[in-house]
Amino acid sequence: MTRFIALVSGKGGVGKTTIALNLGHALHRLGKQVILVDANLATPNLGLQLGLLNPEGTLNKFLRKEKGLHEVIYRHESGIALVPSSLNLVEYQKTNPQKLTELFEHLDEMSEFVVVDAPSGLGYEVNQILKNSDETLIIINPTLSSVMDALKTVQLAHMHNSIVAGIILNMTHFGGWNELKQEKKKKIIGYPIIANIRYDGKFRKALLKQAPVHYLYPRSRTAREFKNVAKHLCLHQGLGPS
Protein backbone atom coordinates (compact mmCIF):
# COMPACT_ATOMS: atom_id res chain seq x y z
CA MET A 1 0.00 0.00 0.00
CA THR A 2 1.28 3.47 -0.90
CA ARG A 3 1.91 5.90 1.95
CA PHE A 4 1.23 9.50 0.98
CA ILE A 5 3.30 11.87 3.11
CA ALA A 6 2.66 15.62 2.88
CA LEU A 7 5.35 18.14 3.82
CA VAL A 8 3.61 21.27 5.05
CA SER A 9 4.20 24.45 7.03
CA GLY A 10 2.26 27.51 8.01
CA LYS A 11 4.92 29.92 6.79
CA GLY A 12 6.68 30.03 3.44
CA GLY A 13 10.46 29.88 3.09
CA VAL A 14 11.02 27.27 5.79
CA GLY A 15 12.74 24.84 3.40
CA LYS A 16 10.00 22.30 2.58
CA THR A 17 11.25 21.68 -0.96
CA THR A 18 14.84 21.01 0.09
CA ILE A 19 13.64 18.66 2.81
CA ALA A 20 11.30 16.83 0.41
CA LEU A 21 14.17 16.35 -2.02
CA ASN A 22 16.60 14.98 0.54
CA LEU A 23 14.04 12.88 2.39
CA GLY A 24 12.99 11.33 -0.90
CA HIS A 25 16.58 10.40 -1.68
CA ALA A 26 17.15 9.06 1.83
CA LEU A 27 14.12 6.76 1.44
CA HIS A 28 15.41 5.72 -1.98
CA ARG A 29 18.81 4.80 -0.49
CA LEU A 30 17.03 2.62 2.07
CA GLY A 31 15.68 0.61 -0.85
CA LYS A 32 12.20 2.12 -0.88
CA GLN A 33 10.23 3.01 -3.98
CA VAL A 34 9.59 6.75 -3.81
CA ILE A 35 7.91 9.35 -6.00
CA LEU A 36 8.21 13.05 -5.20
CA VAL A 37 5.38 15.37 -6.21
CA ASP A 38 5.64 19.14 -6.53
CA ALA A 39 2.08 20.06 -5.57
CA ASN A 40 2.95 23.74 -5.14
CA LEU A 41 1.19 24.77 -8.33
CA ALA A 42 1.71 28.51 -7.83
CA THR A 43 5.44 28.58 -7.03
CA PRO A 44 6.97 25.16 -7.77
CA ASN A 45 10.68 24.61 -7.10
CA LEU A 46 11.18 20.86 -6.76
CA GLY A 47 11.98 20.23 -10.42
CA LEU A 48 14.01 23.43 -10.57
CA GLN A 49 16.33 22.20 -7.83
CA LEU A 50 17.00 19.10 -9.94
CA GLY A 51 17.63 20.97 -13.18
CA LEU A 52 14.17 20.64 -14.77
CA LEU A 53 13.70 24.17 -16.08
CA ASN A 54 11.04 23.54 -18.71
CA PRO A 55 9.83 19.93 -18.58
CA GLU A 56 7.47 18.82 -21.35
CA GLY A 57 5.40 16.69 -19.00
CA THR A 58 4.12 18.38 -15.85
CA LEU A 59 1.54 17.87 -13.13
CA ASN A 60 -0.43 20.69 -14.75
CA LYS A 61 -0.75 18.80 -18.03
CA PHE A 62 -1.65 15.58 -16.23
CA LEU A 63 -4.45 17.33 -14.34
CA ARG A 64 -5.76 18.68 -17.66
CA LYS A 65 -5.53 15.16 -19.17
CA GLU A 66 -3.00 16.29 -21.78
CA LYS A 67 -0.37 13.83 -20.52
CA GLY A 68 -0.51 10.40 -18.94
CA LEU A 69 1.01 9.79 -15.52
CA HIS A 70 4.07 7.97 -16.85
CA GLU A 71 4.73 10.93 -19.16
CA VAL A 72 5.09 13.35 -16.23
CA ILE A 73 7.35 11.23 -14.01
CA TYR A 74 11.07 12.00 -14.37
CA ARG A 75 14.06 10.09 -13.02
CA HIS A 76 17.02 12.09 -11.72
CA GLU A 77 20.59 10.74 -11.84
CA SER A 78 20.41 10.32 -8.05
CA GLY A 79 17.63 7.78 -8.51
CA ILE A 80 14.81 10.09 -7.42
CA ALA A 81 11.53 9.90 -9.33
CA LEU A 82 9.51 13.11 -9.40
CA VAL A 83 6.43 14.76 -10.84
CA PRO A 84 7.24 18.45 -11.46
CA SER A 85 4.81 21.34 -11.81
CA SER A 86 5.14 23.98 -14.50
CA LEU A 87 7.00 27.23 -13.83
CA ASN A 88 4.88 28.98 -16.48
CA LEU A 89 2.25 31.45 -15.23
CA VAL A 90 -0.20 30.64 -18.04
CA GLU A 91 0.10 26.93 -17.26
CA TYR A 92 -0.68 27.69 -13.61
CA GLN A 93 -3.71 29.79 -14.55
CA LYS A 94 -5.06 26.96 -16.72
CA THR A 95 -4.75 24.37 -13.94
CA ASN A 96 -7.66 23.49 -11.68
CA PRO A 97 -6.42 22.53 -8.17
CA GLN A 98 -9.72 20.73 -7.56
CA LYS A 99 -8.30 17.97 -9.78
CA LEU A 100 -5.43 17.22 -7.36
CA THR A 101 -7.36 14.29 -5.88
CA GLU A 102 -7.04 12.50 -9.23
CA LEU A 103 -3.26 12.48 -8.92
CA PHE A 104 -3.44 10.67 -5.58
CA GLU A 105 -5.85 8.13 -7.05
CA HIS A 106 -3.51 7.39 -9.97
CA LEU A 107 -0.35 7.21 -7.82
CA ASP A 108 -1.90 4.78 -5.34
CA GLU A 109 -0.04 1.43 -5.44
CA MET A 110 2.57 2.79 -7.89
CA SER A 111 5.16 3.30 -5.16
CA GLU A 112 5.80 2.56 -1.49
CA PHE A 113 6.06 6.25 -0.63
CA VAL A 114 4.76 9.39 -2.31
CA VAL A 115 6.32 12.52 -0.78
CA VAL A 116 4.25 15.62 -1.53
CA ASP A 117 5.82 19.07 -1.43
CA ALA A 118 2.82 21.23 -0.50
CA PRO A 119 2.37 25.01 -0.76
CA SER A 120 2.79 27.08 2.36
CA GLY A 121 -0.20 28.43 4.24
CA LEU A 122 -3.64 26.98 4.85
CA GLY A 123 -5.29 27.51 1.46
CA TYR A 124 -7.41 25.30 -0.76
CA GLU A 125 -4.52 23.33 -2.29
CA VAL A 126 -3.10 22.50 1.15
CA ASN A 127 -6.53 21.28 2.25
CA GLN A 128 -6.77 19.06 -0.85
CA ILE A 129 -3.33 17.60 -0.19
CA LEU A 130 -3.96 16.91 3.50
CA LYS A 131 -7.33 15.36 2.71
CA ASN A 132 -5.56 12.83 0.49
CA SER A 133 -2.42 12.23 2.58
CA ASP A 134 -1.99 9.46 5.13
CA GLU A 135 0.65 11.31 7.11
CA THR A 136 1.98 14.83 7.52
CA LEU A 137 5.43 16.13 8.34
CA ILE A 138 5.40 19.67 9.74
CA ILE A 139 8.40 21.81 8.79
CA ILE A 140 9.33 24.70 11.10
CA ASN A 141 12.10 27.22 11.65
CA PRO A 142 13.36 28.10 15.15
CA THR A 143 11.15 31.20 15.51
CA LEU A 144 7.96 31.75 17.47
CA SER A 145 6.01 32.88 14.39
CA SER A 146 6.96 29.72 12.48
CA VAL A 147 5.98 27.52 15.42
CA MET A 148 2.63 29.25 15.92
CA ASP A 149 1.79 28.98 12.22
CA ALA A 150 2.75 25.30 12.34
CA LEU A 151 0.29 24.79 15.19
CA LYS A 152 -2.54 25.80 12.85
CA THR A 153 -1.20 23.37 10.26
CA VAL A 154 -1.29 20.56 12.83
CA GLN A 155 -4.91 21.40 13.57
CA LEU A 156 -5.70 21.36 9.84
CA ALA A 157 -4.08 17.93 9.48
CA HIS A 158 -6.28 16.66 12.31
CA MET A 159 -9.36 17.99 10.53
CA HIS A 160 -8.48 15.86 7.51
CA ASN A 161 -7.49 12.77 9.55
CA SER A 162 -3.90 12.97 8.35
CA ILE A 163 -1.57 11.56 11.01
CA VAL A 164 1.20 13.92 12.12
CA ALA A 165 4.35 11.86 11.73
CA GLY A 166 6.55 14.44 13.45
CA ILE A 167 8.12 17.89 13.32
CA ILE A 168 11.27 18.73 11.35
CA LEU A 169 13.20 21.72 12.67
CA ASN A 170 15.07 23.38 9.80
CA MET A 171 17.66 26.16 9.39
CA THR A 172 18.97 26.15 12.95
CA HIS A 173 22.38 27.45 14.03
CA PHE A 174 24.91 25.73 16.24
CA GLY A 175 24.35 27.09 19.76
CA GLY A 176 21.22 28.95 18.67
CA TRP A 177 21.33 31.52 21.47
CA ASN A 178 18.73 33.73 19.79
CA GLU A 179 16.47 30.89 18.72
CA LEU A 180 13.40 29.44 20.37
CA LYS A 181 14.52 26.47 22.46
CA GLN A 182 13.63 22.97 21.26
CA GLU A 183 11.68 21.99 24.39
CA LYS A 184 9.61 25.19 24.08
CA LYS A 185 8.76 24.38 20.44
CA LYS A 186 7.81 20.81 21.36
CA LYS A 187 5.63 22.02 24.22
CA ILE A 188 3.72 24.46 21.98
CA ILE A 189 3.10 22.07 19.09
CA GLY A 190 2.66 18.90 21.12
CA TYR A 191 4.56 16.56 18.79
CA PRO A 192 8.17 15.34 18.88
CA ILE A 193 10.88 17.00 16.82
CA ILE A 194 12.31 14.10 14.79
CA ALA A 195 15.14 16.04 13.09
CA ASN A 196 17.18 19.19 13.57
CA ILE A 197 18.58 20.37 10.22
CA ARG A 198 21.25 23.02 10.74
CA TYR A 199 22.32 25.69 8.30
CA ASP A 200 24.84 24.01 6.02
CA GLY A 201 26.84 25.49 3.15
CA LYS A 202 26.45 22.17 1.35
CA PHE A 203 22.83 23.08 0.57
CA ARG A 204 24.01 25.95 -1.63
CA LYS A 205 26.59 23.72 -3.32
CA ALA A 206 23.95 21.07 -3.93
CA LEU A 207 21.61 23.66 -5.43
CA LEU A 208 24.31 24.68 -7.90
CA LYS A 209 24.95 21.03 -8.76
CA GLN A 210 21.18 20.40 -9.04
CA ALA A 211 21.17 17.35 -6.77
CA PRO A 212 20.26 16.49 -3.15
CA VAL A 213 22.79 16.99 -0.34
CA HIS A 214 22.02 13.42 0.73
CA TYR A 215 23.21 12.22 -2.70
CA LEU A 216 26.30 14.45 -3.03
CA TYR A 217 27.50 14.36 0.61
CA PRO A 218 26.19 11.07 2.06
CA ARG A 219 28.56 11.13 5.06
CA SER A 220 27.71 14.65 6.20
CA ARG A 221 25.84 15.43 9.42
CA THR A 222 22.98 16.81 7.34
CA ALA A 223 22.69 13.60 5.34
CA ARG A 224 22.58 11.59 8.58
CA GLU A 225 19.65 13.69 9.80
CA PHE A 226 17.68 12.93 6.64
CA LYS A 227 18.56 9.26 6.91
CA ASN A 228 17.20 9.23 10.47
CA VAL A 229 13.91 10.78 9.30
CA ALA A 230 13.64 8.17 6.55
CA LYS A 231 14.25 5.36 9.06
CA HIS A 232 11.69 6.90 11.38
CA LEU A 233 9.06 6.85 8.63
CA CYS A 234 9.89 3.25 7.77
CA LEU A 235 9.58 2.13 11.39
CA HIS A 236 6.63 4.21 12.54
CA GLN A 237 3.35 4.90 10.83
CA GLY A 238 2.60 8.24 12.41
CA LEU A 239 2.82 9.39 16.02
CA GLY A 240 0.42 10.57 18.64
CA PRO A 241 0.91 13.84 20.52
CA SER A 242 3.70 13.72 23.09
Side-chain angles (χ1 to χ4, degrees):
M1 180 181 291
T2 298
R3 288 170 64 186
F4 291 92
I5 299 177
L7 269 64
V8 296
S9 68
K11 295 187 73 64
V14 299
K16 284 191 310 296
T17 298
T18 300
I19 288 175
L21 192 60
N22 284 279
L23 174 58
H25 188 261
L27 286 166
H28 168 71
R29 288 295 295 269
L30 289 178
K32 303 300 180 181
Q33 294 177 320
V34 188
I35 297 176
L36 304 184
V37 175
D38 194 339
N40 187 349
L41 295 172
T43 54
N45 281 297
L46 193 57
L48 192 62
Q49 290 199 19
L50 294 177
L52 287 171
L53 300 181
N54 188 27
E56 172 60 26
T58 61
L59 173 57
N60 310 69
K61 290 184 177 180
F62 170 78
L63 295 178
R64 295 200 305 270
K65 303 188 186 304
E66 296 174 13
K67 294 285 186 181
L69 184 57
H70 289 284
E71 295 178 282
V72 302
I73 297 177
Y74 293 81
R75 181 75 64 175
H76 186 258
E77 66 177 60
S78 62
I80 290 175
L82 74 146
V83 177
S85 286
S86 176
L87 297 168
N88 186 283
L89 176 60
V90 175
E91 283 287 300
Y92 165 67
Q93 291 173 330
K94 294 192 310 185
T95 303
N96 183 358
Q98 292 180 342
K99 301 285 187 178
L100 276 171
T101 298
E102 296 181 16
L103 175 68
F104 289 83
E105 293 172 352
H106 281 76
L107 284 173
D108 197 19
E109 298 186 6
M110 275 195 66
S111 182
E112 292 175 84
F113 288 91
V114 173
V115 177
V116 184
D117 184 15
S120 57
L122 306 170
Y124 179 80
E125 291 166 37
V126 176
N127 278 268
Q128 286 289 96
I129 291 164
L130 290 175
K131 183 172 70 175
N132 289 283
S133 295
D134 304 299
E135 299 164 60
T136 300
L137 284 172
I138 310 292
I139 316 303
I140 64 171
N141 293 154
T143 64
L144 183 58
S145 60
S146 176
V147 172
M148 296 308 296
D149 285 340
L151 183 58
K152 288 181 283 189
T153 310
V154 168
Q155 294 167 346
L156 192 62
H158 290 167
M159 287 173 56
H160 292 294
N161 297 314
S162 180
I163 298 169
V164 177
I167 310 296
I168 295 179
L169 179 59
N170 194 32
M171 301 185 193
T172 63
H173 292 85
F174 183 73
W177 302 113
N178 297 315
E179 298 175 353
L180 199 62
K181 299 305 179 186
Q182 188 156 317
E183 284 304 313
K184 180 75 170 177
K185 293 186 281 282
K186 180 179 175 181
K187 183 177 180 180
I188 293 172
I189 301 176
Y191 282 86
I193 294 171
I194 61 173
N196 181 356
I197 312 294
R198 293 180 186 166
Y199 268 108
D200 189 340
K202 294 182 180 66
F203 281 119
R204 182 166 293 183
K205 293 178 182 178
L207 189 61
L208 290 172
K209 294 180 180 180
Q210 299 176 331
V213 167
H214 190 274
Y215 170 64
L216 295 171
Y217 309 101
R219 297 183 180 179
S220 65
R221 181 191 184 280
T222 299
R224 290 197 302 271
E225 284 290 317
F226 286 116
K227 184 178 181 180
N228 289 338
V229 176
K231 286 182 175 179
H232 171 84
L233 292 175
C234 293
L235 291 172
H236 306 281
Q237 202 156 349
L239 291 169
S242 60

